[in-house]
Amino acid sequence: MNLYNRRFKLNIPLFIMFTPIIVYFLVFKYTPMVGLIIAFKNYNFTDGIWGSVWVGFDNFKLLFTNPNMLNILRNTLMLSILQLVIGFPFPILVALMINEIRSSWFKKSIQTAVFLPHFLNWVIVGGIIMTIFAQENGIINHVVKLLFGDSFPFLYDAGSWIAIFIGSGIWKGAGWGAIIYLAALSAVDQSLYEAAGLDGASRLKQMWHISLPAIQPVIFIILILSIGNIMEVGFDQVYILQNPVVSNISEVISTWNYKVGINGGRFSLATALGFFESVVGLILVLGANGIARRFNNGLW
């Protein structure tokens, strides 16, 4: 028996374990990509995917000559970049702070408290936000009325709407995002902290010189993946929070795709926009990974 056959037989249990994952990706990830072809066709239900007429790049031309498209792309990029720049450090900070807690029961209590918002549906979160920031009966506006005599339209003002959008995303996702960093921190050799403590390093310096460098590779990986999703703003969050008054800053690719592509039955147009979104995401991931490789932290 040659070396190749021996290795194959040794790894048979691993191949068996990996088979469901391959099947999952083939069925739910790669097979649906065949549907991208309708971005280059005038798709209709009667003729189906293969029978519909080829139109080349007409759907893309239609998209980028749409007067609203520039505004939609601007909103998508603006909200995504704000989410990335403002929201990205929060899971790291949460993980570092939880890691500094020495009391076991208190640490578990804090972990549970910050993880819980992740399990709430955006419909529920939207209801909570309405209860807090509603102009007539919101809790915040009760205080504002007492102090200034008049309410403020938090959900109808562009600046405050963006702040609520970013803040609600951080509140819901920071605790859950911290899990990966906490897992990386759990692998740090505790003798490093003890040695640093003996040398007189404060908890803040230990955090800066030991904890943060330890999770640096994980930070780069998460950052690269986040940059790849920069063209995707969560549909649920935007759709629940948006209203006609702030549509000029809240209309993004995902909501426009839903309204025009799904509700309007223009599937080819929606697919073309989704295709464009994916290509840009791929370019951003490759670019971010290229930069990370210069610091020896690339994904590949």
Side-chain angles (χ1 to χ4, degrees):
M1 185 182 295
N2 60 33
L3 182 61
Y4 176 80
N5 286 334
R6 278 207 305 275
R7 281 184 176 174
F8 179 78
K9 286 194 174 182
L10 281 172
N11 289 314
I12 283 177
L14 295 177
F15 290 138
I16 293 172
M17 290 170 64
F18 197 58
T19 300
I21 299 169
I22 295 173
V23 171
Y24 169 79
F25 273 87
L26 286 175
V27 173
F28 295 106
K29 299 292 181 183
Y30 289 101
T31 304
M33 287 173 69
V34 176
L36 285 174
I37 199 173
I38 68 173
F40 304 95
K41 290 191 165 195
N42 185 16
Y43 174 76
N44 62 75
F45 279 117
T46 308
D47 297 326
I49 292 178
W50 305 111
S52 298
V53 179
W54 287 96
V55 293
F57 289 93
D58 285 0
N59 288 318
F60 293 92
K61 290 176 185 172
L62 195 59
L63 274 177
F64 294 108
T65 53
N66 187 316
N68 296 321
M69 190 48 58
L70 189 62
N71 191 45
I72 291 167
L73 289 174
R74 187 206 65 185
N75 292 343
T76 305
L77 283 173
M78 177 190 69
L79 294 177
S80 289
I81 291 172
L82 285 174
Q83 276 183 328
L84 184 64
V85 173
I86 300 174
F88 186 77
F90 276 87
I92 301 170
L93 292 172
V94 170
L96 290 173
M97 287 191 290
I98 290 176
N99 190 55
E100 292 301 315
I101 299 173
R102 292 292 168 260
S103 171
S104 178
W105 70 268
F106 186 59
K107 188 174 184 176
K108 287 179 181 174
S109 302
I110 294 295
Q111 279 181 303
T112 305
V114 296
F115 291 170
L116 273 179
H118 169 76
F119 298 101
L120 297 178
N121 191 286
W122 271 114
V123 176
I124 297 172
V125 176
I128 295 171
I129 290 171
M130 297 296 174
T131 305
I132 295 173
F133 294 103
Q135 188 169 357
E136 294 300 324
N137 303 312
I139 296 168
I140 300 292
N141 264 320
H142 274 300
V143 179
V144 173
K145 278 181 185 176
L146 287 174
L147 293 175
F148 303 104
D150 201 6
S151 60
F152 184 80
F154 289 103
L155 296 169
Y156 303 100
D157 177 78
S160 56
W161 187 90
I162 291 173
I164 291 169
F165 175 82
I166 302 296
S168 60
I170 292 172
W171 176 75
K172 192 173 185 298
W176 185 255
I179 290 177
I180 296 174
Y181 301 115
L182 282 170
L185 285 168
S186 67
V188 179
D189 189 349
Q190 294 301 309
S191 63
L192 294 173
Y193 294 108
E194 293 169 6
L198 289 173
D199 287 341
S202 64
R203 298 301 302 178
L204 192 60
K205 284 187 177 178
Q206 291 178 31
M207 191 190 297
W208 183 260
H209 293 289
I210 299 174
S211 301
L212 206 53
I215 60 173
Q216 183 180 319
V218 180
I219 293 174
F220 271 99
I221 291 171
I222 302 296
L223 181 62
I224 291 169
L225 296 176
S226 300
I227 290 173
N229 293 325
I230 208 164
M231 292 292 286
E232 292 181 15
V233 182
F235 169 78
D236 294 345
Q237 184 184 5
V238 179
Y239 193 71
I240 292 295
L241 295 180
Q242 74 176 181
N243 59 71
V245 180
V246 292
S247 62
N248 62 321
I249 50 104
S250 65
E251 196 70 86
V252 296
I253 289 176
S254 55
T255 54
W256 189 86
N257 251 351
Y258 173 72
K259 291 170 186 173
V260 177
I262 306 300
N263 284 350
R266 304 176 75 178
F267 301 107
S268 293
L269 206 61
T271 306
L273 187 55
F275 192 30
F276 166 75
E277 188 180 352
S278 301
V279 170
V280 174
L282 176 63
I283 293 169
L284 289 172
V285 166
L286 293 174
N289 187 62
I291 295 170
R293 282 179 65 184
R294 292 178 180 272
F295 298 95
N296 297 320
N297 283 295
L299 277 175
W300 62 88

mmCIF file of all heavy atoms in Angstrom, residues 129 132-136 138-145 148 150-165 241 243 246:
data_model
loop_
_atom_site.group_PDB
_atom_site.id
_atom_site.type_symbol
_atom_site.label_atom_id
_atom_site.label_comp_id
_atom_site.label_asym_id
_atom_site.label_seq_id
_atom_site.Cartn_x
_atom_site.Cartn_y
_atom_site.Cartn_z
ATOM 1 N N ILE A 129 -37.137 50.416 20.771
ATOM 2 C CA ILE A 129 -36.642 51.732 20.335
ATOM 3 C C ILE A 129 -37.800 52.724 20.194
ATOM 4 O O ILE A 129 -37.694 53.880 20.593
ATOM 5 C CB ILE A 129 -35.870 51.592 19.002
ATOM 6 C CG1 ILE A 129 -34.552 50.857 19.263
ATOM 7 C CG2 ILE A 129 -35.608 52.952 18.364
ATOM 8 C CD1 ILE A 129 -33.806 50.477 18.011
ATOM 9 N N ILE A 132 -38.840 53.944 23.532
ATOM 10 C CA ILE A 132 -37.889 54.874 24.154
ATOM 11 C C ILE A 132 -37.859 56.227 23.445
ATOM 12 O O ILE A 132 -37.849 57.280 24.088
ATOM 13 C CB ILE A 132 -36.476 54.247 24.159
ATOM 14 C CG1 ILE A 132 -36.461 53.005 25.056
ATOM 15 C CG2 ILE A 132 -35.431 55.258 24.642
ATOM 16 C CD1 ILE A 132 -35.174 52.227 24.993
ATOM 17 N N PHE A 133 -37.882 56.197 22.091
ATOM 18 C CA PHE A 133 -37.617 57.438 21.344
ATOM 19 C C PHE A 133 -38.845 58.028 20.634
ATOM 20 O O PHE A 133 -38.695 59.023 19.908
ATOM 21 C CB PHE A 133 -36.527 57.182 20.291
ATOM 22 C CG PHE A 133 -35.183 56.871 20.884
ATOM 23 C CD1 PHE A 133 -34.711 55.569 20.925
ATOM 24 C CD2 PHE A 133 -34.394 57.887 21.414
ATOM 25 C CE1 PHE A 133 -33.472 55.278 21.466
ATOM 26 C CE2 PHE A 133 -33.150 57.607 21.963
ATOM 27 C CZ PHE A 133 -32.689 56.300 21.996
ATOM 28 N N ALA A 134 -40.021 57.441 20.799
ATOM 29 C CA ALA A 134 -41.219 57.991 20.137
ATOM 30 C C ALA A 134 -41.419 59.459 20.518
ATOM 31 O O ALA A 134 -41.145 59.861 21.657
ATOM 32 C CB ALA A 134 -42.441 57.167 20.515
ATOM 33 N N GLN A 135 -41.907 60.243 19.549
ATOM 34 C CA GLN A 135 -41.988 61.682 19.787
ATOM 35 C C GLN A 135 -43.069 62.044 20.804
ATOM 36 O O GLN A 135 -42.879 62.951 21.618
ATOM 37 C CB GLN A 135 -42.258 62.413 18.463
ATOM 38 C CG GLN A 135 -42.155 63.917 18.599
ATOM 39 C CD GLN A 135 -42.164 64.630 17.268
ATOM 40 O OE1 GLN A 135 -42.200 63.988 16.231
ATOM 41 N NE2 GLN A 135 -42.122 65.943 17.286
ATOM 42 N N GLU A 136 -44.198 61.323 20.776
ATOM 43 C CA GLU A 136 -45.292 61.703 21.664
ATOM 44 C C GLU A 136 -45.208 61.027 23.025
ATOM 45 O O GLU A 136 -45.348 61.673 24.061
ATOM 46 C CB GLU A 136 -46.641 61.343 20.994
ATOM 47 C CG GLU A 136 -46.937 62.152 19.741
ATOM 48 C CD GLU A 136 -47.009 63.642 20.029
ATOM 49 O OE1 GLU A 136 -47.498 64.021 21.103
ATOM 50 O OE2 GLU A 136 -46.550 64.435 19.168
ATOM 51 N N GLY A 138 -42.622 58.658 23.974
ATOM 52 C CA GLY A 138 -41.336 58.040 24.281
ATOM 53 C C GLY A 138 -40.802 58.465 25.638
ATOM 54 O O GLY A 138 -41.039 59.576 26.105
ATOM 55 N N ILE A 139 -40.062 57.541 26.254
ATOM 56 C CA ILE A 139 -39.518 57.816 27.593
ATOM 57 C C ILE A 139 -38.557 59.015 27.551
ATOM 58 O O ILE A 139 -38.598 59.893 28.412
ATOM 59 C CB ILE A 139 -38.772 56.555 28.100
ATOM 60 C CG1 ILE A 139 -39.758 55.402 28.256
ATOM 61 C CG2 ILE A 139 -38.069 56.838 29.425
ATOM 62 C CD1 ILE A 139 -39.099 54.054 28.459
ATOM 63 N N ILE A 140 -37.698 59.030 26.522
ATOM 64 C CA ILE A 140 -36.711 60.111 26.427
ATOM 65 C C ILE A 140 -37.404 61.454 26.238
ATOM 66 O O ILE A 140 -37.030 62.467 26.847
ATOM 67 C CB ILE A 140 -35.743 59.859 25.241
ATOM 68 C CG1 ILE A 140 -34.992 58.541 25.438
ATOM 69 C CG2 ILE A 140 -34.762 61.018 25.105
ATOM 70 C CD1 ILE A 140 -34.013 58.533 26.560
ATOM 71 N N ASN A 141 -38.451 61.455 25.409
ATOM 72 C CA ASN A 141 -39.128 62.726 25.145
ATOM 73 C C ASN A 141 -39.933 63.234 26.338
ATOM 74 O O ASN A 141 -40.214 64.427 26.432
ATOM 75 C CB ASN A 141 -40.028 62.602 23.913
ATOM 76 C CG ASN A 141 -39.309 63.092 22.662
ATOM 77 O OD1 ASN A 141 -38.596 64.094 22.698
ATOM 78 N ND2 ASN A 141 -39.449 62.367 21.576
ATOM 79 N N HIS A 142 -40.313 62.349 27.254
ATOM 80 C CA HIS A 142 -40.939 62.802 28.503
ATOM 81 C C HIS A 142 -39.963 63.676 29.277
ATOM 82 O O HIS A 142 -40.314 64.739 29.790
ATOM 83 C CB HIS A 142 -41.355 61.596 29.357
ATOM 84 C CG HIS A 142 -42.697 61.059 29.009
ATOM 85 N ND1 HIS A 142 -43.853 61.824 29.090
ATOM 86 C CD2 HIS A 142 -43.088 59.841 28.566
ATOM 87 C CE1 HIS A 142 -44.895 61.101 28.713
ATOM 88 N NE2 HIS A 142 -44.458 59.885 28.374
ATOM 89 N N VAL A 143 -38.706 63.224 29.308
ATOM 90 C CA VAL A 143 -37.657 63.981 30.014
ATOM 91 C C VAL A 143 -37.349 65.272 29.264
ATOM 92 O O VAL A 143 -37.209 66.342 29.870
ATOM 93 C CB VAL A 143 -36.378 63.110 30.159
ATOM 94 C CG1 VAL A 143 -35.276 63.895 30.859
ATOM 95 C CG2 VAL A 143 -36.690 61.816 30.895
ATOM 96 N N VAL A 144 -37.257 65.158 27.915
ATOM 97 C CA VAL A 144 -36.956 66.337 27.098
ATOM 98 C C VAL A 144 -38.037 67.405 27.265
ATOM 99 O O VAL A 144 -37.745 68.609 27.392
ATOM 100 C CB VAL A 144 -36.810 65.934 25.605
ATOM 101 C CG1 VAL A 144 -36.680 67.169 24.719
ATOM 102 C CG2 VAL A 144 -35.603 65.025 25.418
ATOM 103 N N LYS A 145 -39.305 66.966 27.312
ATOM 104 C CA LYS A 145 -40.410 67.920 27.495
ATOM 105 C C LYS A 145 -40.323 68.617 28.843
ATOM 106 O O LYS A 145 -40.561 69.823 28.958
ATOM 107 C CB LYS A 145 -41.753 67.183 27.385
ATOM 108 C CG LYS A 145 -42.215 66.947 25.960
ATOM 109 C CD LYS A 145 -43.565 66.228 25.975
ATOM 110 C CE LYS A 145 -44.003 65.877 24.570
ATOM 111 N NZ LYS A 145 -45.256 65.102 24.577
ATOM 112 N N PHE A 148 -37.128 71.013 28.426
ATOM 113 C CA PHE A 148 -37.116 72.066 27.405
ATOM 114 C C PHE A 148 -38.513 72.499 26.957
ATOM 115 O O PHE A 148 -38.653 73.420 26.162
ATOM 116 C CB PHE A 148 -36.308 71.603 26.187
ATOM 117 C CG PHE A 148 -34.894 71.207 26.531
ATOM 118 C CD1 PHE A 148 -34.535 69.867 26.601
ATOM 119 C CD2 PHE A 148 -33.941 72.187 26.801
ATOM 120 C CE1 PHE A 148 -33.238 69.495 26.927
ATOM 121 C CE2 PHE A 148 -32.643 71.822 27.122
ATOM 122 C CZ PHE A 148 -32.284 70.478 27.189
ATOM 123 N N ASP A 150 -40.584 71.059 24.973
ATOM 124 C CA ASP A 150 -41.035 70.524 23.684
ATOM 125 C C ASP A 150 -40.292 69.223 23.379
ATOM 126 O O ASP A 150 -39.162 69.026 23.836
ATOM 127 C CB ASP A 150 -40.776 71.555 22.582
ATOM 128 C CG ASP A 150 -41.644 71.294 21.359
ATOM 129 O OD1 ASP A 150 -42.506 70.389 21.447
ATOM 130 O OD2 ASP A 150 -41.467 71.983 20.339
ATOM 131 N N SER A 151 -40.923 68.377 22.617
ATOM 132 C CA SER A 151 -40.304 67.079 22.288
ATOM 133 C C SER A 151 -39.374 67.229 21.082
ATOM 134 O O SER A 151 -39.420 68.227 20.363
ATOM 135 C CB SER A 151 -41.384 66.038 21.996
ATOM 136 O OG SER A 151 -42.168 66.471 20.901
ATOM 137 N N PHE A 152 -38.559 66.199 20.876
ATOM 138 C CA PHE A 152 -37.632 66.205 19.731
ATOM 139 C C PHE A 152 -37.905 64.966 18.879
ATOM 140 O O PHE A 152 -38.009 63.848 19.411
ATOM 141 C CB PHE A 152 -36.177 66.181 20.232
ATOM 142 C CG PHE A 152 -35.171 66.277 19.124
ATOM 143 C CD1 PHE A 152 -34.858 67.506 18.551
ATOM 144 C CD2 PHE A 152 -34.554 65.126 18.615
ATOM 145 C CE1 PHE A 152 -33.937 67.582 17.511
ATOM 146 C CE2 PHE A 152 -33.642 65.205 17.579
ATOM 147 C CZ PHE A 152 -33.326 66.432 17.024
ATOM 148 N N PRO A 153 -37.974 65.119 17.552
ATOM 149 C CA PRO A 153 -38.299 63.959 16.683
ATOM 150 C C PRO A 153 -37.067 63.075 16.422
ATOM 151 O O PRO A 153 -36.504 63.084 15.328
ATOM 152 C CB PRO A 153 -38.788 64.634 15.403
ATOM 153 C CG PRO A 153 -38.064 65.930 15.359
ATOM 154 C CD PRO A 153 -37.868 66.367 16.770
ATOM 155 N N PHE A 154 -36.681 62.303 17.425
ATOM 156 C CA PHE A 154 -35.457 61.495 17.299
ATOM 157 C C PHE A 154 -35.486 60.567 16.086
ATOM 158 O O PHE A 154 -34.482 60.378 15.423
ATOM 159 C CB PHE A 154 -35.256 60.647 18.565
ATOM 160 C CG PHE A 154 -34.864 61.445 19.764
ATOM 161 C CD1 PHE A 154 -35.787 61.744 20.755
ATOM 162 C CD2 PHE A 154 -33.568 61.917 19.911
ATOM 163 C CE1 PHE A 154 -35.428 62.484 21.868
ATOM 164 C CE2 PHE A 154 -33.198 62.662 21.018
ATOM 165 C CZ PHE A 154 -34.130 62.947 21.995
ATOM 166 N N LEU A 155 -36.657 59.977 15.837
ATOM 167 C CA LEU A 155 -36.747 59.001 14.743
ATOM 168 C C LEU A 155 -37.016 59.650 13.381
ATOM 169 O O LEU A 155 -37.039 58.957 12.364
ATOM 170 C CB LEU A 155 -37.847 57.978 15.045
ATOM 171 C CG LEU A 155 -37.587 57.106 16.279
ATOM 172 C CD1 LEU A 155 -38.818 56.312 16.653
ATOM 173 C CD2 LEU A 155 -36.406 56.177 16.031
ATOM 174 N N TYR A 156 -37.221 60.962 13.371
ATOM 175 C CA TYR A 156 -37.526 61.659 12.122
ATOM 176 C C TYR A 156 -36.469 62.690 11.746
ATOM 177 O O TYR A 156 -36.633 63.418 10.776
ATOM 178 C CB TYR A 156 -38.909 62.326 12.219
ATOM 179 C CG TYR A 156 -40.001 61.344 12.552
ATOM 180 C CD1 TYR A 156 -40.477 61.228 13.858
ATOM 181 C CD2 TYR A 156 -40.514 60.499 11.582
ATOM 182 C CE1 TYR A 156 -41.458 60.301 14.186
ATOM 183 C CE2 TYR A 156 -41.497 59.578 11.892
ATOM 184 C CZ TYR A 156 -41.962 59.479 13.191
ATOM 185 O OH TYR A 156 -42.922 58.555 13.503
ATOM 186 N N ASP A 157 -35.410 62.733 12.511
ATOM 187 C CA ASP A 157 -34.289 63.628 12.221
ATOM 188 C C ASP A 157 -33.114 62.781 11.715
ATOM 189 O O ASP A 157 -32.787 61.741 12.317
ATOM 190 C CB ASP A 157 -33.888 64.378 13.497
ATOM 191 C CG ASP A 157 -32.683 65.267 13.274
ATOM 192 O OD1 ASP A 157 -32.852 66.359 12.704
ATOM 193 O OD2 ASP A 157 -31.565 64.844 13.650
ATOM 194 N N ALA A 158 -32.491 63.218 10.625
ATOM 195 C CA ALA A 158 -31.459 62.379 9.987
ATOM 196 C C ALA A 158 -30.306 62.046 10.944
ATOM 197 O O ALA A 158 -29.897 60.885 11.060
ATOM 198 C CB ALA A 158 -30.917 63.085 8.748
ATOM 199 N N GLY A 159 -29.813 63.058 11.648
ATOM 200 C CA GLY A 159 -28.674 62.835 12.544
ATOM 201 C C GLY A 159 -28.997 61.889 13.680
ATOM 202 O O GLY A 159 -28.250 60.939 13.959
ATOM 203 N N SER A 160 -30.124 62.131 14.359
ATOM 204 C CA SER A 160 -30.475 61.267 15.493
ATOM 205 C C SER A 160 -30.879 59.876 15.020
ATOM 206 O O SER A 160 -30.630 58.886 15.715
ATOM 207 C CB SER A 160 -31.601 61.897 16.313
ATOM 208 O OG SER A 160 -32.722 62.154 15.494
ATOM 209 N N TRP A 161 -31.483 59.788 13.813
ATOM 210 C CA TRP A 161 -31.845 58.458 13.293
ATOM 211 C C TRP A 161 -30.580 57.610 13.061
ATOM 212 O O TRP A 161 -30.540 56.435 13.416
ATOM 213 C CB TRP A 161 -32.622 58.582 11.976
ATOM 214 C CG TRP A 161 -33.155 57.267 11.491
ATOM 215 C CD1 TRP A 161 -34.364 56.712 11.788
ATOM 216 C CD2 TRP A 161 -32.470 56.314 10.670
ATOM 217 N NE1 TRP A 161 -34.481 55.482 11.183
ATOM 218 C CE2 TRP A 161 -33.340 55.205 10.490
ATOM 219 C CE3 TRP A 161 -31.223 56.275 10.051
ATOM 220 C CZ2 TRP A 161 -32.993 54.088 9.725
ATOM 221 C CZ3 TRP A 161 -30.872 55.157 9.297
ATOM 222 C CH2 TRP A 161 -31.737 54.084 9.137
ATOM 223 N N ILE A 162 -29.552 58.231 12.487
ATOM 224 C CA ILE A 162 -28.297 57.497 12.251
ATOM 225 C C ILE A 162 -27.682 57.067 13.584
ATOM 226 O O ILE A 162 -27.198 55.936 13.731
ATOM 227 C CB ILE A 162 -27.313 58.370 11.449
ATOM 228 C CG1 ILE A 162 -27.816 58.561 10.019
ATOM 229 C CG2 ILE A 162 -25.919 57.738 11.419
ATOM 230 C CD1 ILE A 162 -27.007 59.543 9.194
ATOM 231 N N ALA A 163 -27.711 57.976 14.574
ATOM 232 C CA ALA A 163 -27.154 57.645 15.890
ATOM 233 C C ALA A 163 -27.910 56.468 16.520
ATOM 234 O O ALA A 163 -27.299 55.553 17.092
ATOM 235 C CB ALA A 163 -27.214 58.865 16.803
ATOM 236 N N ILE A 164 -29.254 56.481 16.404
ATOM 237 C CA ILE A 164 -30.059 55.378 16.953
ATOM 238 C C ILE A 164 -29.772 54.086 16.198
ATOM 239 O O ILE A 164 -29.661 53.013 16.791
ATOM 240 C CB ILE A 164 -31.564 55.728 16.883
ATOM 241 C CG1 ILE A 164 -31.871 56.856 17.871
ATOM 242 C CG2 ILE A 164 -32.426 54.519 17.179
ATOM 243 C CD1 ILE A 164 -33.253 57.465 17.699
ATOM 244 N N PHE A 165 -29.617 54.196 14.870
ATOM 245 C CA PHE A 165 -29.333 53.018 14.048
ATOM 246 C C PHE A 165 -27.995 52.377 14.469
ATOM 247 O O PHE A 165 -27.913 51.171 14.698
ATOM 248 C CB PHE A 165 -29.274 53.439 12.573
ATOM 249 C CG PHE A 165 -28.863 52.345 11.637
ATOM 250 C CD1 PHE A 165 -29.788 51.420 11.197
ATOM 251 C CD2 PHE A 165 -27.555 52.232 11.204
ATOM 252 C CE1 PHE A 165 -29.419 50.394 10.337
ATOM 253 C CE2 PHE A 165 -27.168 51.220 10.352
ATOM 254 C CZ PHE A 165 -28.097 50.297 9.918
ATOM 255 N N LEU A 241 -36.526 50.168 11.303
ATOM 256 C CA LEU A 241 -36.321 51.510 11.851
ATOM 257 C C LEU A 241 -36.657 52.637 10.877
ATOM 258 O O LEU A 241 -36.896 53.763 11.308
ATOM 259 C CB LEU A 241 -34.860 51.664 12.308
ATOM 260 C CG LEU A 241 -34.412 50.782 13.474
ATOM 261 C CD1 LEU A 241 -32.950 51.050 13.808
ATOM 262 C CD2 LEU A 241 -35.275 51.025 14.707
ATOM 263 N N ASN A 243 -38.423 55.164 8.135
ATOM 264 C CA ASN A 243 -39.745 55.762 7.911
ATOM 265 C C ASN A 243 -39.618 56.737 6.740
ATOM 266 O O ASN A 243 -38.498 57.132 6.368
ATOM 267 C CB ASN A 243 -40.258 56.444 9.185
ATOM 268 C CG ASN A 243 -39.319 57.531 9.671
ATOM 269 O OD1 ASN A 243 -39.224 58.578 9.032
ATOM 270 N ND2 ASN A 243 -38.595 57.280 10.767
ATOM 271 N N VAL A 246 -37.186 59.935 6.796
ATOM 272 C CA VAL A 246 -35.722 59.790 6.704
ATOM 273 C C VAL A 246 -35.323 58.840 5.572
ATOM 274 O O VAL A 246 -34.238 58.269 5.584
ATOM 275 C CB VAL A 246 -35.124 59.303 8.042
ATOM 276 C CG1 VAL A 246 -35.248 60.362 9.104
ATOM 277 C CG2 VAL A 246 -35.760 57.985 8.482
#
